[in-house]
Structure formats: C-alpha cells, structure tokens
Amino acid sequence: MSISASQVKELREISGAGMMDCKAALTETNGDMEAAVDWLRAKGISKADKKAGRTAAEGLVGVASNGKKSVVVEVNSETDFVARNDAFQDIVRNVANVALTTDGSTAAVAAATYPASGKSVVDTIKDAVGTIGENLSFRRSAALSVSEGVVATYIHNGVSDGLGKLGVLVAIETAGDADAANAFGRQVAMHVAATNPLALTPAEVDPAAVEREKAVFTESARQSGKPENIIEKMVEGRLRKFYEEVVLLSQAFVINPDLTVEAALKDAEKAIGAPAKITAFVRFALGEGIEKEATDFAAEVAAAVKK
C-alpha cells in the first residue's frame, strides 16, 4: 500500500524517529500506526507508546466532591476560546454538581435533570449550542466513593475553581484524620496527573497491554542473538520494570522519588493516625482519544476565495 507523507509526519511526531525509519515502519505494518510504533520500539528506534500523539479536543474537565464521594466530568467544545467563556464554565460546573447526585456513570449523568432548566443534562447542553454559538457535547463522567475515608481531587491547568484540562480522583479508605488523608490523597492525585499510571496494582493491568509489551520485549531481546532461556529471563526483567513504570502503587512517588507510592502511603499513615488504603483512582485528560478531523488550511482559503 502507499504510505502518505502525513502518515510519516504523524509517526515522527509520536515516536521521534527519523523519516526513513517511520516510512519503513509504516510499510512493514501496512500503515497501521499503533503497529508501526511497536515495530520501531522493537527495533530500539523509538520508546513511544500508544498514549502518545493523541489529538486533544477542546472544552473542560470539571470535578465536584462532598468528601466521601467525588466526580469528574468532561464537556467538549470546538475551541479553547469557548472553554474560557463564563457561560460554558457554568455549564461544566453545574454538570459536575449534578453528577454528584447520581452514581456518576455517563448514562446516569446524561439523563439527570439539569438545575433550573428542568431538562436533562444532554438536552440542556444541546440548547446551549444556540446561545454559545458552537457545538458542545457531554462526553463522559466517573465517580469514586468510600464508606470511610476521603476521595481527593486535583485539577491541572485550572481555569477556574474545579475546572481545567485534566482532572484526577483518588479514593483513600481510612478511619483516620480526614484532612490528613485528603492532603496526601491530593499529592497522589498530582502524581497520577503527572505519570498517568495504567492501573492501581499489577493484577489490574490490562492483559492485552501486558501481552503487547511482552511481544515488543521478546522481539527486541531476540535481536541480541542470545539463547531462548536467556531471552526469557531478559523479558521477565523488562516486564518487572514495565510494572514499576505503569502501576500506581509501584511507581516512584513524584513528591519523593526515594519512595514508591505504596511506601509513601505507609509513611503518611503517621499523620493520618490509622491504616490507610488507596482503593481506586480516575484520571480524565481533556480530549484524550478524540481525533480531530484533519483540515487543509490552504484548500479552505482557496475555496473561500472562489465563493
């Protein structure tokens, strides 16, 4: 198949590899971008992963909390200009507060009654398209709660209270001091914002992701020419390192890299005054996984001139 210049450019941006390497990778994988990234990694040319290179949509992420329960929502707009609009910010803030009265699932929040309008969240956002003048959509929501303890929240790149480009929830179960637990939970939430772990524990890592990494590690190790039994040990070592990098409790804590998050939690129990356990986390980055339609600006201008 023919590989386009735009495909090569996209792979270069994702992987940081050279043009010819990117073209070879795409040719070998029939233009499959994710497979091409893996091909480059196996050759030792790139360290990029599947999370790199995603195009972000605009809008805002919002959080709301009552202490033992917190929610995070994402509402999208077409431009960042609208995301700075007070009316749009009020919508996202209200959607987050509505989400707090539901189980937090996307379906429940979408159908919930929006304050003052008497309509559902989805219908109210549709009505706002006319007044704000831009396409808007409620994309997703999630909630975490604890029977005892706190659910800490953190907003990164905040534009207003509880609103920003990235939101994180971290649930900590404990019978200890709620303020101390919340303070530590916020630090963990900041850590999650920075490192984007795949799972809380090794057992929770997506098996497909593990198999994908194992395949890349195996192919890379085989290029060393070592015997299969040595390759197997090399792969096992690489997988252990992989878990340390992507599992929250095993990661080096960004606040104190000398400790893992799990060890930092144990240390924080002194201030909390009781045993504590991180039970879950949620991380919403604005627009992750959404692909914007590619546009040819020169063609748009040329078309406008002809009108």
Side-chain angles (χ1 to χ4, degrees), residues 220-271:
S220 180
R222 283 202 174 116
Q223 293 181 32
S224 68
K226 291 183 170 60
E228 282 296 317
N229 63 323
I230 301 298
I231 289 173
E232 188 175 332
K233 287 185 171 57
M234 290 171 66
V235 171
E236 287 174 1
R238 292 287 298 275
L239 280 175
R240 281 195 298 271
K241 183 66 175 174
F242 168 70
Y243 283 124
E244 289 172 8
E245 291 173 350
V246 304
V247 170
L248 174 58
L249 293 177
S250 303
Q251 289 179 326
F253 193 32
V254 293
I255 309 297
N256 180 2
D258 291 335
L259 299 176
T260 63
V261 172
E262 189 169 30
L265 173 64
K266 200 70 182 170
D267 195 50
E269 289 179 346
K270 299 169 189 173

Side-chain angles (χ1 to χ4, degrees), residues 172-197:
I172 298 182
E173 286 188 352
T174 181
D177 183 77
D179 289 339
N182 191 63
F184 178 71
R186 179 175 167 80
Q187 288 186 334
V188 176
M190 294 170 70
H191 170 99
V192 170
T195 64
N196 193 14

Side-chain angles (χ1 to χ4, degrees), residues 28 60 137 184 245:
E28 288 291 326
L60 286 171
S137 64
F184 178 71
E245 291 173 350

Side-chain angles (χ1 to χ4, degrees), residues 62-67 69-73 92-100 142 144 151 153 155 162 169:
V63 299
S65 177
N66 64 13
K69 179 180 179 180
S70 296
V71 295
V72 57
V73 303
V92 182
R93 192 176 289 111
N94 286 335
V95 171
N97 288 329
V98 168
L100 203 54
L144 292 180
V151 181
T153 67
I155 282 285
L169 312 178

Side-chain angles (χ1 to χ4, degrees), residues 60-64 71 73 75 85-100 114-115 159-164:
L60 286 171
V61 170
V63 299
V71 295
V73 303
V75 182
N85 179 296
D86 288 342
F88 179 75
Q89 291 181 13
D90 284 343
I91 288 172
V92 182
R93 192 176 289 111
N94 286 335
V95 171
N97 288 329
V98 168
L100 203 54
Y114 187 89
V159 298
S160 184
D161 187 34
L163 303 175

Side-chain angles (χ1 to χ4, degrees), residues 12-13 28 68 79-80 85 106 146 172 186 191 197 199-200 205 216 259 276 302:
R12 287 189 69 189
E13 290 173 352
E28 288 291 326
K68 290 186 177 181
T79 66
D80 184 56
N85 179 296
T106 300
V146 293
I172 298 182
R186 179 175 167 80
H191 170 99
L200 178 64
V205 178
V216 171
L259 299 176

